[in-house]
Amino acid sequence: MRRSLSIRRSLPISCHFMSQVSLVGACLMWQGLKRGKGYGSFFFEGKNMYAHRVSYLLFKGPIPDGLFVLHHCDNRCCVNPAHLFLGTHNDNIADMVAKGRTARWDKKASTKLTPRLVEVIRKAEGSSRFLGALFDVCHSTIQAIKKNKKWIGVQA
């Protein structure tokens, strides 16, 4: 056992990283540890990091502060550098909306709001508690709508 550890340590980190990947279609699928929501996890430079971020660092270069590593393929387990690109939080949201990956009001039977009501809420004055009571939703829902954290695709 001790000998195999020393051999693994002598390999470049990129070889160790790629030993935990398998090819599925055009994606390089992470087979190692996974975090919540299905993103791969890899111990790199003294800390646990998302595997797709490590892939970007290893094969494309540094990630400037404040930028995210996004997927063209929308596959959380994919670490193919050709499928990865940098963007801001807003770029990530815009990509999600453009690809139809946001929650859709018309697909949720339990929703109380419609896009038109969300437009009205965004323009409305008053406390979130008052508006929540008026529209029969929780005040935190009103706050999230006003901060553009819910119903992202609906513009006021």
Side-chain angles (χ1 to χ4, degrees):
M1 183 76 164
R2 188 175 280 239
R3 184 174 182 164
S4 65
L5 286 175
S6 64
I7 291 171
R8 189 169 89 185
R9 287 186 187 148
S10 66
L11 291 174
I13 192 76
S14 58
C15 291
H16 177 57
F17 181 84
M18 291 305 292
S19 73
Q20 298 187 54
V21 170
S22 67
L23 182 64
V24 177
C27 291
L28 293 173
M29 300 297 288
W30 184 252
Q31 302 299 311
L33 293 173
K34 292 189 176 88
R35 290 186 181 183
K37 298 188 180 181
Y39 289 98
S41 182
F42 187 76
F43 192 77
F44 182 70
E45 294 183 345
K47 58 187 171 192
N48 280 317
M49 296 177 65
Y50 286 118
H52 63 285
R53 288 182 67 84
V54 174
S55 177
Y56 194 95
L57 288 166
L58 289 172
F59 303 109
K60 289 189 138 184
I63 303 168
D65 288 342
L67 292 185
F68 293 75
V69 177
L70 312 177
H71 293 87
H72 287 295
C73 62
D74 296 330
N75 190 334
R76 295 175 181 181
C77 291
C78 181
V79 295
N80 185 342
H83 294 189
L84 304 176
F85 65 102
L86 295 177
T88 64
H89 177 66
N90 288 340
D91 294 333
N92 196 20
I93 291 171
D95 183 54
M96 180 177 65
V97 169
K99 293 176 179 174
R101 290 186 286 113
T102 57
R104 291 285 313 258
W105 72 272
D106 55 347
K107 291 184 180 177
K108 289 184 166 185
S110 64
T111 190
K112 295 177 182 179
L113 301 175
T114 64
R116 179 67 188 123
L117 289 176
V118 170
E119 290 173 12
V120 171
I121 290 169
R122 288 216 171 105
K123 293 176 184 174
E125 299 287 328
S127 72
S128 59
R129 291 203 184 273
F130 171 75
L131 293 172
L134 185 65
F135 291 97
D136 193 28
V137 295
C138 182
H139 71 95
S140 62
T141 299
I142 299 295
Q143 291 171 338
I145 288 170
K146 292 246 184 202
K147 291 178 181 176
N148 211 28
K149 292 186 177 181
K150 285 193 174 184
W151 290 83
I152 296 165
V154 176
Q155 302 301 318

